[in-house]
Amino acid sequence: MSLMDHLAARIRADGPVSVAEYMADCLLHPQYGYYTTRDPLGAQGDFTTAPEISQMFGELLGLALAQAWLDQGSPAPFTLAELGPGRGTLMADLLRATRGVPGFHAAMQIHLVEASPALRSVQAKTLESYAPEWLDTADALPDQPLFLVANEFFDALPVRQFLRAGDGWSERRIGLKDGALSFGLTPTAAQPALAHRLADTRDGDLVELCEPAAPVTQCIAARIAAHGGAALIVDYGDWRALGDTLQALRAHEPADPLQTPGAADLTAHVDFEALAMAAKTAGCAFTRLTPQGVFLERLGITDRARALAAPLQGDGLETLIAAHRRLTHPEEMGNLFKVLGLYPSQAAPPPGLNT
């Protein structure tokens, strides 16, 4: 049996599924899900994230969190956490860069929020000298100061899709047509969760709603508001989402999201406004949304690149130059990816970000 067989049987029995239900099955089905059955990262996988491109990314995020920790009086103990840590590369680079920060490692308790057994196994090898603790969900994070990073975590959370029709919305759902998966629409109905989008959309516009994003953000923000800390959320998207951003990636190439379910990575652009409003509801302050390239330049990525380049030549130097460009250039990841910071209202924002 395949995930396609499972989905077809489910649709025949219960009718078309929402895009969110489809994404959840494709990514996290216990037997056939994309993340539960493989390591998707790197040249042999389907996509490459910033930490896999260069050590500079994790180093600079680590130093930014460490400075935020120092600015808040070096609380101890504190939780050092990552949502969706991939292979553990970002956390490993973060920990190496912060070894020289007095008291930081002695006070930290590392928690990794990871749903994939396959990736947990890889993370355990990468971080074996640090004895991290794994959690299934963000709401299991300890009630103490929290310094957290989430890189390309929120884009993998399932989204529902709605088409504007008058003052109502038709939900996009996935059914079967001639034995293949196919998009369809529900009858038009009111959607209270999208009432605020009537002002900036027109008939026929598609809007995505990521229902799991707010609860996750509130878990993080409530701990930061109550106990101190900071969060750096890095992802692709914008302040307010508009249009169909559901995409599939297989072997580093775009793919049809409805083809080969469970065998391709599925993501959607992040609506950062929804994250910021969820943080505000929990009593936490948030920064301006900042392009990744601007953020990394403020943190000194060019100086770090020059230091790493000093002993290099040939292919090694070219690889470093290409990595710096890919992370920062507006036509690469520099503008597509954004950074949102969360912090206590009485504290300074994390380095590299402005209010």
Side-chain angles (χ1 to χ4, degrees), residues 117-128:
L119 287 174
R120 282 191 182 195
S121 177
V122 178
Q123 293 156 17
K125 293 176 183 177
T126 304
L127 302 168
E128 59 183 348

Side-chain angles (χ1 to χ4, degrees), residues 234-251:
V234 188
D235 228 312
Y236 55 90
D238 218 323
W239 182 248
R240 183 174 280 192
L242 181 65
D244 179 9
T245 71
L246 178 67
Q247 57 188 9
L249 206 61
R250 191 175 188 188

Side-chain angles (χ1 to χ4, degrees), residues 258-282:
L258 299 188
Q259 294 293 320
T260 59
D265 183 40
L266 292 181
T267 61
H269 283 206
V270 175
D271 182 342
F272 282 97
E273 181 188 36
L275 305 188
M277 293 305 103
K280 184 178 180 180
T281 300

Side-chain angles (χ1 to χ4, degrees), residues 48-307:
T48 301
T49 61
E52 305 293 332
I53 293 169
S54 171
Q55 69 187 69
M56 297 183 289
F57 184 81
E59 290 173 347
L60 292 173
L61 266 64
L63 291 172
L65 283 184
Q67 186 60 56
W69 176 75
L70 291 169
D71 290 344
Q72 293 182 35
S74 308
F78 74 92
T79 301
L80 178 63
E82 183 175 359
L83 305 183
R87 289 176 169 171
T89 305
L90 189 160
M91 182 59 73
D93 292 339
L94 182 161
L95 291 167
R96 185 183 61 256
T98 56
R99 277 183 304 198
V101 179
F104 190 77
H105 281 210
M108 70 187 182
Q109 298 173 351
I110 303 173
H111 288 80
L112 306 176
V113 178
E114 178 59 72
S116 166
L119 287 174
R120 282 191 182 195
S121 177
V122 178
Q123 293 156 17
K125 293 176 183 177
T126 304
L127 302 168
E128 59 183 348
S129 60
Y130 291 100
E133 181 177 338
W134 282 268
L135 305 173
D136 292 327
T137 57
D139 59 9
L141 287 165
D143 287 321
Q144 62 183 22
L146 172 63
F147 292 83
L148 176 144
V149 62
N151 179 62
E152 292 200 54
F153 170 82
F154 284 93
D155 64 50
L157 296 182
V159 298
R160 297 170 69 187
Q161 293 186 324
F162 296 90
L163 278 173
R164 170 88 181 266
D167 287 338
W169 304 86
S170 295
E171 183 167 11
R172 205 177 187 202
R173 297 180 77 84
I174 297 167
L176 290 172
K177 184 177 181 180
D178 300 326
L181 295 172
S182 177
F183 286 113
L185 290 171
T186 65
T188 302
Q191 289 293 336
L194 294 176
H196 67 295
R197 299 306 306 270
L198 293 175
D200 73 310
T201 56
R202 298 178 296 179
D203 277 10
D205 281 349
L206 188 147
V207 171
E208 293 170 339
L209 180 63
C210 183
E211 292 175 322
V216 173
T217 306
Q218 286 171 345
C219 285
I220 298 164
R223 285 159 178 76
I224 292 172
H227 307 290
L232 299 174
I233 299 170
V234 188
D235 228 312
Y236 55 90
D238 218 323
W239 182 248
R240 183 174 280 192
L242 181 65
D244 179 9
T245 71
L246 178 67
Q247 57 188 9
L249 206 61
R250 191 175 188 188
H252 299 268
E253 294 292 335
D256 184 334
L258 299 188
Q259 294 293 320
T260 59
D265 183 40
L266 292 181
T267 61
H269 283 206
V270 175
D271 182 342
F272 282 97
E273 181 188 36
L275 305 188
M277 293 305 103
K280 184 178 180 180
T281 300
C284 192
F286 57 88
T287 66
R288 288 181 187 169
L289 195 59
T290 301
Q292 175 179 290
V294 173
F295 173 67
L296 293 175
E297 290 293 359
R298 288 175 180 169
L299 294 180
I301 191 171
T302 297
D303 287 342
R304 179 60 177 147
R306 290 193 182 110

